[in-house]
Amino acid sequence: MCCGYFVLLPILPVTPDPPSSKASPIFNAVVRGAGPTGALTALALADAGWSVSLIDPQSPSQIQERSRAYAFTHSSRRLLKRLGLWKSVSCILHPFDRLDLEDLGARELSRFGTRDLRNGSSEEHPVGWIGAHRELMGVLLEQLKARPSIRLHLGNGSPGSSLAALEQEADWIIAADGALSPTREALGIPVWRHAYRQHCLTAQVRLRGAPSRTAWERLRPEGPFALLPMGGGRFQVVWSAPGWRCRQLESLSPAAFLDALAPVLPPGVDVEEMGEPPRVFPVGLLLARRLHRGKTILVGETAHRCHPVGGQGLNLCWRDVESLHRLALQVSDGKRPMHTLGPAYGRSRWLDVCLTLLITDSLVRIFSNRHPLLVPGRKLALRQLRRLPVLRRTLLGVMSHGACQRMGAAPT
């Protein structure tokens, strides 16, 4: 599961959720970056009773324009419900009830379903959801505009001097300005980086014979290949391969690309037509060596970035927001001194972030190769995963709720 490109659709009308009933804001925060993580951070701090200024050099239309899609797990659903946003966001998401995990090198398949999330509960939930960036940002921007405690400074409308004054007066600055964060660079926070030999190609296609609520993660020697359902017969292709191969695929005509795609698809699934054309981007691992400095806190891809295998990127970023929301509530309620917010946030996030980066990196290293000594172990692991429900519940629990949550817990 991963991000990808999405055909433009009309944004559904949004009924803003009622604003928080908490007391008037006491504390002030500036959030740099109005992408999905920055926007949700602003909403979370406003929910905690803070006054928030959200700053981004791009205009609202530019922020929405990115042709990407995201996988959403139950950790993101949990946060959206806590903030009163799930009803609005779920309207633009497409659920899937089955995930087929297949190791093509070892020729083994394991299947995850809704029962692997129930853990004894009679209620069934989807395994996950897929949503488009444009529609998601449409919902979040509407919610931002509806909150009186949030001031938007998007595009070039606000002079730099007034923004500098806002940051000078702020209790905390939240940096959500991406993996190339100028905020992090200005603070001199070093990072650990690793550039994978693989690149990632994303495209959207219409398929025949593919169940509309099934997702695939096919682990191939050249890299993971994901196929994610987006409704109406549309599927997101997330194809990891060596950089030269991805660039070659991107340069093909639509007909030639579909011909190259056909042999990679699961059995019984055929290509019908091209949607969004292929786009290629490099993938890498990034981890900031500290998650705060002074009165600045790093969230999302400003702090960390992982390989797209497993669709963990946005969900890991939003678990940053979940932790920050919990701590901001403690500050608002007088249960935590303001100056401890940054250190407490860093301590709360290190384990989840490091474990998630380790898991995704290990998946790529173990399965994206042809080493003959690894194949028997991979074959055994997939067989045991297929035969033992407790292993499936554990793995799906990690991927759905986060590496530090109770494994296999039923979603709430």
Side-chain angles (χ1 to χ4, degrees), residues 180-194:
L180 301 177
S181 168
T183 303
R184 188 189 64 230
E185 294 296 324
L187 290 171
I189 297 177
V191 298
W192 288 289
R193 296 180 188 269
H194 172 69

Side-chain angles (χ1 to χ4, degrees), residues 85-378:
L85 299 170
W86 176 246
K87 183 178 179 181
S88 297
V89 174
S90 63
C91 293
I92 57 94
L93 304 181
H94 182 76
F96 59 93
D97 301 322
R98 198 177 88 186
L99 169 63
D100 286 359
L101 176 65
E102 186 175 9
D103 182 352
L104 297 185
R107 299 185 180 181
E108 289 290 340
L109 168 71
S110 184
R111 182 165 290 159
F112 298 85
T114 56
R115 287 183 297 178
D116 296 315
L117 281 170
R118 285 168 60 180
N119 196 31
S121 170
S122 59
E123 186 178 2
E124 288 193 358
H125 296 271
V127 172
W129 298 262
I130 307 298
H133 174 88
R134 168 176 278 273
E135 292 185 322
L136 173 65
M137 288 309 305
V139 172
L140 295 180
L141 286 169
E142 288 297 323
Q143 294 290 336
L144 290 165
K145 293 173 185 176
R147 305 298 170 101
S149 59
I150 298 177
R151 292 170 291 176
L152 301 179
H153 303 271
L154 308 180
N156 298 319
S158 299
S161 58
S162 64
L163 297 181
L166 284 174
E167 295 186 349
Q168 184 70 27
E169 297 170 1
D171 295 295
W172 284 96
I173 297 171
I174 314 300
D177 46 354
L180 301 177
S181 168
T183 303
R184 188 189 64 230
E185 294 296 324
L187 290 171
I189 297 177
V191 298
W192 288 289
R193 296 180 188 269
H194 172 69
Y196 292 103
R197 294 180 180 179
Q198 299 170 356
H199 280 47
C200 186
L201 177 144
T202 59
Q204 187 187 118
V205 297
R206 191 176 296 275
L207 301 178
R208 229 179 9 254
S212 64
R213 292 172 70 107
T214 296
W216 287 266
E217 185 80 67
R218 313 193 83 199
L219 302 172
R220 309 170 71 239
E222 69 173 6
F225 175 90
L227 200 60
L228 310 175
M230 303 194 72
R234 292 171 289 109
F235 283 78
Q236 184 71 35
V237 173
V238 186
W239 191 342
S240 297
W244 67 268
R245 175 61 171 157
C246 287
R247 290 188 292 270
Q248 179 190 60
L249 290 166
E250 184 184 33
S251 68
L252 297 175
S253 67
F257 175 79
L258 295 179
D259 287 341
L261 174 64
V264 188
L265 296 175
V269 177
D270 299 312
V271 178
E272 196 167 79
E273 64 180 4
M274 174 75 80
E276 284 290 319
R279 293 289 183 269
V280 173
F281 57 90
V283 292
L285 181 148
L286 178 145
L287 178 61
R289 299 195 183 189
R290 56 185 303 160
L291 301 184
H292 89 283
R293 172 164 284 173
K295 66 173 187 178
T296 301
I297 292 173
L298 311 186
V299 299
E301 290 196 344
T302 304
H304 48 73
R305 197 175 196 181
C306 61
H307 193 283
V309 63
Q312 292 300 296
L314 181 67
N315 301 287
L316 182 62
C317 294
W318 279 15
R319 291 201 293 274
D320 292 347
V321 180
E322 182 179 33
S323 182
L324 188 60
H325 177 245
R326 174 177 54 82
L327 294 169
L329 282 170
Q330 293 175 4
V331 171
S332 296
D333 294 340
K335 298 177 180 178
R336 172 176 295 279
M338 170 64 75
H339 70 274
T340 67
L341 180 64
Y345 166 80
R347 290 192 299 269
S348 70
R349 293 305 300 142
W350 274 115
L351 184 58
D352 182 31
V353 169
C354 291
L355 285 176
T356 302
L357 266 59
L358 177 63
I359 290 170
T360 54
D361 184 67
S362 298
L363 284 172
V364 174
R365 293 179 185 276
I366 293 172
F367 289 93
S368 296
N369 65 73
R370 303 176 186 272
H371 199 294
L373 295 180
L374 290 175
V375 174
R378 285 160 34 187

